[in-house]
């Protein structure tokens, strides 16, 4: 479970109510496994908390990050760390299948299917909500090309072996790149959220306008901005929410991102 509130007092009140109600049915909160994290704010705000907080007699560790529902959440909302973590998990899956990917007895198309069904989903878990920097896109591309070079091997020219170039790998692979799949997934999810009822929590967050001002200096990319930029690349304007209501049209838009 995840308790979210704007103030420490509200979090404490909600936790206390949860603890009381859970006790009525014989459930006990495991304080050792429960963490407290201040999201956003300044470095000074997070430092002032110390290493622990106490609520209703229970002491919780203050953390800068934790894994929730399989995704890494950070105090500064750094999605790049989650992407690097997913790439590391994908690398473990890749090394576990490396012998099969190098085998001469398995057809390259079968190996590509293994990659798309057993390795790539590990890397792209939760990608629909990612706000990606250019270096994140590059890191995903580097990972995919490493797998494809294992699948297709090198090429021999005049008795000398060399690594296949990026465009050669793309031609042999013949499928949308992992970057395009990530963008298409984000657009697919945007359409799904746009079709949700207005009282749905995800729709409320999506349509809400946070109070306050953005920080000084260069601004971080926002998820909605990246969705609109990706849609603009396939000729859709900012009035895309109306198009999202049409499932058939939206599916065509998603497919155009993959092409």
């Amino acid at each position: 479970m995840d308790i979210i509130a704007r103030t420490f007092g509200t979090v404490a009140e909600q936790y206390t109510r949860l603890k009381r109600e859970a006790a009525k049915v014989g459930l006990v909160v495991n304080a050792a496994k429960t963490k407290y994290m201040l999201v956003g704010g300044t470095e000074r705000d997070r430092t002032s908390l110390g290493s622990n907080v106490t609520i209703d007699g229970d002491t919780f560790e203050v953390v800068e990050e934790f894994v929730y529902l399989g995704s890494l959440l950070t105090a500064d909302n750094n999605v790049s760390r989650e992407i690097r973590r997913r790439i590391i998990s994908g690398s473990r899956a890749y090394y576990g299948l490396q012998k099969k990917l190098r085998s001469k007895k398995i057809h390259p198309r079968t190996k590509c299917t293994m990659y798309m069904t057993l390795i790539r989903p590990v890397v792209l878990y939760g990608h629909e909500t990612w706000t990606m920097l250019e270096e994140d896109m590059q890191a995903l591309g580097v990972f995919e090309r490493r797998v494809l070079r294992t699948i297709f091997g090198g090429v021999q020219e005049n008795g000398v072996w060399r690594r296949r170039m990026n465009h050669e790998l793309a031609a042999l692979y013949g499928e949308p790149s992992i970057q395009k799949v990530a963008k298409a997934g984000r657009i697919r999810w945007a359409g799904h959220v746009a079709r949700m009822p207005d009282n749905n929590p995800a729709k409320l967050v999506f349509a809400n306008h946070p109070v306050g001002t953005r920080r000084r200096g260069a601004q971080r990319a926002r998820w909605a901005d990246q969705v609109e930029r990706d849609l603009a690349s396939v000729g859709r304007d900012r009035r895309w929410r109306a198009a999202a209501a049409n499932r058939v049209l939206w599916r065509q838009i998603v497919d155009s991102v993959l092409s």
Side-chain angles (χ1 to χ4, degrees):
M1 295 182 63
D2 187 16
I3 299 176
I4 303 175
R6 289 186 178 274
T7 65
F8 176 82
T10 307
V11 170
E13 178 185 354
Q14 292 180 356
Y15 169 75
T16 302
R17 290 176 59 189
L18 171 65
K19 181 180 177 181
R20 298 287 186 271
E21 295 300 319
K24 293 178 181 179
V25 293
L27 298 177
V28 179
V29 177
N30 189 331
K33 293 183 178 180
T34 305
K35 311 299 179 183
Y36 181 89
M37 184 171 76
L38 174 62
V39 180
T42 64
E43 186 68 26
R44 181 179 180 181
D45 294 333
R46 293 194 290 271
T47 303
S48 64
L49 283 174
S51 58
N52 298 286
V53 296
T54 301
I55 301 176
D56 195 35
D58 296 329
T59 301
F60 307 124
E61 180 187 3
V62 176
V63 298
E64 291 290 315
E65 63 181 37
F66 73 96
V67 177
Y68 182 66
L69 298 179
S71 294
L72 181 71
L73 305 181
T74 66
D76 59 353
N77 195 28
N78 189 338
V79 180
S80 296
R81 287 160 66 181
E82 163 64 2
I83 295 174
R84 296 301 189 278
R85 177 174 169 270
R86 299 314 313 174
I87 291 176
I88 291 173
S89 297
S91 295
R92 294 194 184 103
Y94 159 67
Y95 286 122
L97 295 169
Q98 198 172 42
K99 288 185 178 180
K100 293 180 175 60
L101 296 178
R102 292 184 183 278
S103 175
K104 302 296 184 182
K105 298 179 180 180
I106 302 177
H107 194 277
R109 295 315 310 169
T110 303
K111 297 178 185 178
C112 288
T113 301
M114 292 171 61
Y115 161 63
M116 291 186 290
T117 57
L118 300 177
I119 300 176
R120 192 174 68 185
V122 176
V123 179
L124 291 182
Y125 177 82
H127 69 279
E128 296 88 349
T129 61
W130 288 352
T131 302
M132 292 182 284
L133 302 176
E134 186 60 34
E135 49 262 40
D136 299 330
M137 300 289 285
Q138 293 176 0
L140 290 172
V142 169
F143 171 80
E144 181 170 77
R145 288 190 293 272
R146 175 155 55 98
V147 178
L148 294 180
R149 285 193 171 95
T150 301
I151 291 174
F152 295 111
V155 59
Q156 191 176 31
E157 292 180 345
N158 300 322
V160 179
W161 286 92
R162 65 166 177 83
R163 293 201 322 168
R164 294 187 186 273
M165 298 181 182
N166 294 351
H167 70 274
E168 293 174 325
L169 291 173
L172 289 170
Y173 182 40
E175 299 288 343
S177 67
I178 191 170
Q179 296 101 323
K180 288 185 177 181
V181 173
K183 289 181 179 180
R186 187 164 53 193
I187 292 175
R188 185 183 297 109
W189 173 246
H192 182 62
V193 173
R195 291 189 297 270
M196 289 179 178
D198 291 339
N199 61 348
N200 185 283
K203 181 65 171 290
L204 290 172
V205 172
F206 178 62
N208 187 34
H209 297 285
V211 178
T213 58
R214 303 189 75 185
R215 65 176 186 172
R216 293 181 178 179
Q219 301 299 327
R220 291 180 179 175
R222 294 181 294 193
W223 182 85
D225 292 339
Q226 292 197 343
V227 168
E228 292 183 351
R229 184 189 65 190
D230 294 338
L231 288 169
S233 67
V234 293
R236 306 303 305 187
D237 58 23
R238 291 180 176 271
R239 296 171 293 181
W240 58 269
R241 288 171 177 80
N246 186 328
R247 293 177 181 271
V248 175
L249 174 60
W250 197 251
R251 192 176 298 114
Q252 293 173 353
I253 294 173
V254 173
D255 290 341
S256 67
V257 176
L258 291 170
S259 61

